[in-house]
Amino acid sequence: MTKTDASAAGAELLLKARNKIRITRHDPGSIRLRFSPTILKLVPELSSEAERANLSSIPGIGDVKANLMTCSLTIGYDPKVIAPESWEIVVLGSEEEARRLLEDLCNQSDK
């Protein structure tokens, strides 16, 4: 899988999960997302370490740590690449806004 394919897969994972996650802590450069255990039935890719690794292929995302016991995902990111307010769009914005923002980020890897 190319880096571009991996970043697109990571973006799709976020888009599929976005309606079932909420932001529980956010400091510029680090965000913790909490999700319902039922999300693993709707988005089984979230339980796969390999699939979650695709998230770190999105430009600006670094470390991704999952704790399936507490149903949380902590994502380290570069606030110079991903504006902190962008996370509000990904989680709470319309699907169209979230998709456009993630596609724009993924397209940065082509440059």
Side-chain angles (χ1 to χ4, degrees):
M1 181 179 289
T2 68
K3 181 156 175 65
T4 302
D5 291 341
S7 64
E12 268 313 304
L13 180 60
L14 277 175
L15 288 168
K16 285 175 72 174
R18 66 187 289 279
N19 291 325
K20 301 289 183 196
I21 58 178
R22 61 185 171 86
I23 299 170
T24 57
R25 184 185 57 75
H26 189 195
D27 300 311
S30 179
I31 188 166
R32 180 175 296 137
L33 305 171
R34 181 123 4 209
F35 51 87
S36 164
T38 60
I39 197 172
L40 297 177
K41 290 181 182 176
L42 299 170
V43 188
E45 303 93 336
L46 199 55
S47 62
S48 164
E49 189 173 333
E51 291 290 337
R52 287 192 312 269
N54 288 332
L55 291 172
S56 62
S57 296
I58 297 172
I61 292 183
D63 195 31
V64 177
K65 295 179 185 170
N67 185 331
L68 298 180
M69 296 298 287
T70 62
C71 298
S72 67
L73 196 61
T74 303
I75 300 172
Y77 70 95
D78 182 348
K80 293 176 185 158
V81 178
I82 303 173
E85 58 273 9
S86 295
W87 290 103
E88 297 288 330
I89 294 169
V90 170
V91 176
L92 301 171
S94 72
E95 184 165 347
E96 182 180 312
E97 289 175 306
R99 182 172 298 281
R100 186 171 37 247
L101 187 143
L102 289 168
E103 285 174 353
D104 288 348
L105 277 173
C106 291
N107 288 335
Q108 287 182 24
S109 65
D110 295 337
K111 296 178 182 173

